[in-house]
Amino acid sequence: MNAGGSSFGLRFDWIGLLFACLLTLFIALPLIVVGTWAFTEIWRYPSVIPQQFGLRFWGQTLARGDVWDALFLSLRLTTTVTILSAVICLPAAYAFARMRFPGRNILFLSFLASHAFPKFGLLVAIAGIFLQLGLISTFWGVVLIQLVGTLMLMIWIPVAAFQNVDRRMEEAARDAGATPLRVFWSITLPQAAPTISAALLLTFVGTFYETEGAWLIGAPEIRTMPVLMISFINNQIVVQYGAVLSVMLWVPSFIALMFARRVIGTGAFARGFGA
């Protein structure tokens, strides 16, 4: 009986490993192809590997003024959205974590609303409103549409952070005569800061890559890096330009996400969902 169970478990482990390898290959293969194109100068069909590698297209891409304009615009947009999201969402997250009030759970779950429907359809509806308000093709129109996409991360993750603060330390500080503001600044915030930092980092990365809202609301005046990359590909401008931009976008986000993964674990996400 035990031998049969062990044999079944071993087969199941091998099947799981096989699926993991296939999934990794499915995800990694497109990244490898794009990365190869970024460092390719000549790659003609039917050759499986490029005929000539080089950095010529890196120089040409980085010499384009529209690439640098898009990069600086993306950084301005992302920084603005992240700061506004923190100012708006962190106090709300603290209230959700520490207060009990009628309709709390409904309000808490409502922040999933923007992710519960087809995103493009929601953006089209919002674009109609923005058109009446004169926000189409404006910096602040794109800020507002991207801000909507940050609500779930900047509410749910900080809620988990505030819930995991050691209340005994807060109570000890209050017993010692510390004011509520001093307790928050010296006890609560330092304990929650790593997880909040991860939420801010994920928000920054997600906003930097946001494409649909930036394209639908910002076009044609506002062109972020992802929008510019898509225009290169769609207009059949040299394929290496799009590949170079893809690598430029991928490397910083990979580093940021690896840092966030070390700071916040899946347990924090689960506690936030169960709030």
Side-chain angles (χ1 to χ4, degrees):
M1 183 70 178
N2 291 336
S6 300
S7 177
F8 175 78
L10 183 61
R11 289 197 299 270
F12 188 79
D13 289 343
W14 278 106
I15 292 173
L17 179 61
L18 176 63
F19 278 116
C21 291
L22 290 175
L23 183 60
T24 301
L25 180 63
F26 181 78
I27 295 174
L29 187 60
L31 297 177
I32 294 172
V33 172
V34 171
T36 302
W37 268 114
F39 297 95
T40 294
E41 294 186 3
I42 300 176
W43 192 357
R44 297 190 181 97
Y45 179 83
S47 177
V48 177
I49 61 174
Q51 287 87 3
Q52 181 177 334
F53 289 96
L55 298 175
R56 176 163 60 94
F57 289 100
W58 279 85
Q60 292 181 7
T61 303
L62 296 177
R64 295 178 62 105
D66 54 355
V67 170
W68 292 103
D69 290 342
L71 175 60
F72 291 133
L73 177 60
S74 291
L75 291 174
R76 283 176 53 212
L77 275 169
T78 304
T79 302
T80 302
V81 170
T82 303
I83 291 174
L84 285 176
S85 183
V87 170
I88 295 170
C89 295
L90 290 181
Y94 185 83
F96 278 119
R98 296 302 180 87
M99 297 175 62
R100 295 294 181 267
F101 49 87
R104 172 185 175 274
N105 291 334
I106 295 176
L107 288 174
F108 189 60
L109 291 173
S110 69
F111 292 103
L112 284 174
S114 61
H115 298 268
F117 302 98
K119 185 177 180 181
F120 194 77
L122 180 64
L123 291 175
V124 169
I126 296 176
I129 299 173
F130 279 17
L131 181 63
Q132 301 297 321
L133 298 176
L135 292 172
I136 297 294
S137 296
T138 66
F139 178 86
W140 289 107
V142 177
V143 166
L144 290 175
I145 201 66
Q146 291 185 334
L147 188 61
V148 173
T150 70
L151 295 180
M152 189 179 75
L153 277 178
M154 287 300 295
I155 291 290
W156 281 47
I157 296 178
V159 163
F162 289 127
Q163 286 179 335
N164 290 328
V165 171
D166 190 341
R167 297 289 188 94
R168 293 171 298 181
M169 295 180 63
E170 293 179 329
E171 293 170 358
R174 291 296 301 273
D175 291 341
T179 63
L181 181 60
R182 179 60 183 242
V183 171
F184 178 81
W185 186 259
S186 300
I187 305 296
T188 308
L189 191 58
Q191 293 187 54
T195 305
I196 292 175
S197 298
L200 289 170
L201 190 58
L202 291 172
T203 297
F204 187 93
V205 171
T207 303
F208 191 77
Y209 284 96
E210 199 281 328
T211 305
E212 293 178 333
W215 173 75
L216 187 62
I217 303 298
E221 299 297 329
I222 305 298
R223 288 207 301 177
T224 62
M225 280 281 280
V227 172
L228 180 64
M229 180 187 68
I230 291 174
S231 70
F232 282 175
I233 296 171
N234 288 342
N235 295 331
Q236 296 184 348
I237 297 177
V238 181
V239 67
Q240 284 90 336
Y241 288 168
V244 169
L245 290 184
S246 296
V247 173
M248 290 175 62
L249 288 167
W250 176 73
V251 172
S253 71
F254 179 79
I255 295 173
L257 291 174
M258 287 300 98
F259 173 78
R261 183 179 179 275
R262 293 178 63 88
V263 173
I264 184 170
T266 54
F269 282 103
R271 287 189 291 270
F273 293 159

